[in-house]
Amino acid sequence: MGCCTGRCSLICLCALQLLSALERQIFDFLGFQWAPILGNFLHIIVVILGLFGTIQYRPRYIVVYTVWTALWVTWNVFIICFYLEVGGLSKDTDLMTFNISVHRSWWREHGPGCVRRVLPPSAHGMMDDYTYVSVTGCIVDFQYLEVIHSAVQILLSLVGFVYACYVISIFMEEEDTFDFIGGLDARSYYQDHVELKPVNLRALRSAPTCTFTAWSLPLMAQAQRKTTSDDRLPDRWGWPSTALP
């Protein structure tokens, strides 16, 4: 299979997915988003596995990658619904941090054009509460940036899913062709062994005859010598002659 095929396209897609996942992982670490951090970590491992399977012609690894892309699309759809507050979800909850902290997305305070100001807390407030941080002038709100990131992941995953299915089918066809030629065809292997069995049986049946003939050669030679020396037949003149064996 040449380079300009689905295999090379899948390799490029896996490389793009790795870069986008690493970029997203960095900003999720900065925002202490533990749920996305765990998902990105698993995604990076599976993409590396799929990349290895594509390069080394391992269809099983690509199957694992294909199954994971479906799960990854589902997870990113959930993130989109979370930040757009679809289905009763709220972006102001601590779901992405496993309720460990009150941190939000890093893009909430550091988005493009955002100006961050820390307001003095009230007597009953805490500096860690985001209600005392004023963010103004953002060109794009943080929830839309998160939605864009998830949409890019969904797009790459869907294209990767299609190419992974195509590459798996190509690998299976190549294996079937190799087996049909005679590389590892189980049927031809079985037929060859079945055809050899009668030959082995004939060899076994002829073995005792050959052994008996070789063992009887000295006896036959001794009997012939005895006939030559003792058995004399008179010829027409009365003289004894040697009998033909």
Side-chain angles (χ1 to χ4, degrees), residues 36-104:
I37 286 171
L38 180 60
N40 294 330
F41 179 74
L42 295 176
H43 181 62
I44 291 172
I45 292 177
V46 177
V47 170
I48 292 175
L49 189 65
L51 182 62
F52 175 78
T54 306
I55 295 174
Q56 298 293 327
Y57 295 92
R58 303 292 180 88
R60 294 183 179 179
Y61 294 165
I62 306 177
V63 170
V64 175
Y65 166 81
T66 305
V67 174
W68 171 256
T69 52
L71 298 176
W72 186 243
V73 168
T74 305
W75 167 249
N76 283 276
V77 170
F78 169 77
I79 292 179
I80 291 176
C81 295
F82 175 80
Y83 283 106
L84 295 181
E85 298 183 343
V86 177
L89 298 173
S90 176
K91 63 180 181 294
D92 295 325
T93 59
D94 300 330
L95 183 61
M96 292 298 171
T97 59
F98 294 131
N99 295 324
I100 298 176
S101 64
V102 294
H103 291 86
R104 300 293 183 266

Side-chain angles (χ1 to χ4, degrees), residues 95-151:
L95 183 61
M96 292 298 171
T97 59
F98 294 131
N99 295 324
I100 298 176
S101 64
V102 294
H103 291 86
R104 300 293 183 266
S105 172
W106 184 83
W107 298 104
R108 183 171 186 172
E109 302 176 10
H110 304 86
C114 293
V115 178
R116 181 176 179 272
R117 292 187 305 169
V118 179
L119 301 177
S122 61
H124 301 286
M126 297 178 61
M127 281 299 296
D128 292 336
D129 196 340
Y130 276 84
T131 57
Y132 299 101
V133 176
S134 174
V135 180
T136 58
C138 295
I139 299 175
V140 182
D141 292 337
F142 75 97
Q143 63 266 27
Y144 298 114
L145 292 175
E146 293 289 352
V147 168
I148 291 173
H149 276 84
S150 297

